[in-house]
Amino acid sequence: MSRTSRSAPVVALAAVLAGFVLTGCSDTKTGAAAVVNGDRVEISTLNSLVEQAADARQSVGAEPVPGVEASQEELTSVLTDKVLDEAARRAGIVVTATEIADAKRDWAGTNPGATIETLLARQGVPASQVDHFVRRSVLIDKIIIANGQDPRTEAGQQKVVEVFRSTAESMDITVNPRYGQWNPADGLVPTTYGWLTPNRIA
């Protein structure tokens, strides 16, 4: 893996998420935080992810993410996964358990004295989701390589942004206006509700 952060497993995804954040309003069915190609992301599921992220941060003494921002962060992550998975499906790309194990071993070899679990917990990734996080990183690298670029280069980073945007534009994604609005050109741009907490979004 080339980078470890909550919303950007690699530099390329940092660029993707910089342009894909929550905005204004969309129609979703009651009880759904978002709907992606007909599949619902339930508010209850999102709230569970928020709680897990908060527990992970607390376990290592990291600062909590305040208010509704935590829900928006987790929803952005969920939507990012769905778009990346669709891009990979179209390209026939899969990530194996062996590749995940190899990536974790490579990370450990270049970060002596640290554990990926502790580092990711500071970013709100619970231990149960570490392999999922690593899979996302490997998947991004493979998408870049499949498009003839090197994941370590700026061109490679730009390529995954292009693939992400084009895939997102072709998908049917709507977001509950409590969290923001999905626009294929901009992604998920947050609605600001500073007084709300995740438990009050239901």
Side-chain angles (χ1 to χ4, degrees):
M1 287 183 299
S2 53
R3 188 172 178 178
T4 51
S5 73
R6 176 66 182 100
S7 58
V10 292
V11 175
L13 189 54
V16 168
L17 293 182
F20 283 78
V21 287
L22 277 167
T23 74
C25 97
S26 318
D27 294 327
T28 54
K29 295 180 180 179
T30 302
V35 180
V36 181
N37 286 347
D39 294 331
R40 294 162 59 97
V41 179
E42 301 291 348
I43 288 176
S44 59
T45 300
L46 181 62
N47 285 344
S48 177
L49 293 173
V50 170
E51 291 172 3
Q52 291 176 49
D55 289 345
R57 289 187 173 93
Q58 185 177 33
S59 72
V60 292
E63 289 293 323
V65 175
V68 74
E69 182 182 337
S71 295
Q72 292 166 335
E73 179 180 283
E74 292 304 316
L75 186 53
T76 296
S77 182
V78 169
L79 295 180
T80 296
D81 279 341
K82 289 185 177 296
V83 174
L84 289 173
D85 284 346
E86 179 62 16
R89 185 191 68 78
R90 294 177 185 182
I93 296 171
V94 297
V95 175
T96 67
T98 298
E99 288 173 321
I100 292 172
D102 287 346
K104 291 170 70 176
R105 185 168 53 251
D106 290 346
W107 187 92
T110 56
N111 294 273
T115 68
I116 190 170
E117 290 80 8
T118 299
L119 179 61
L120 292 182
R122 292 184 180 279
Q123 304 298 326
V125 180
S128 62
Q129 292 296 313
V130 168
D131 281 5
H132 176 80
F133 182 93
V134 175
R135 175 188 174 277
R136 180 195 281 183
S137 178
V138 175
L139 184 64
I140 290 170
D141 283 354
K142 293 185 77 170
I143 289 172
I144 294 172
I145 292 167
N147 282 273
Q149 299 294 335
D150 185 335
R152 298 167 297 181
T153 66
E154 184 176 346
Q157 296 164 27
Q158 182 57 40
K159 178 53 67 176
V160 77
V161 172
E162 293 172 2
V163 171
F164 188 98
R165 287 181 183 274
S166 63
T167 303
E169 287 172 355
S170 68
M171 297 173 70
D172 182 10
I173 300 174
T174 57
V175 172
N176 190 312
R178 295 172 180 174
Y179 304 100
Q181 179 180 356
W182 177 266
N183 183 314
D186 301 317
L188 195 62
V189 178
T191 299
T192 301
Y193 297 117
W195 51 273
L196 283 177
T197 63
N199 288 337
R200 296 180 67 179
I201 304 176

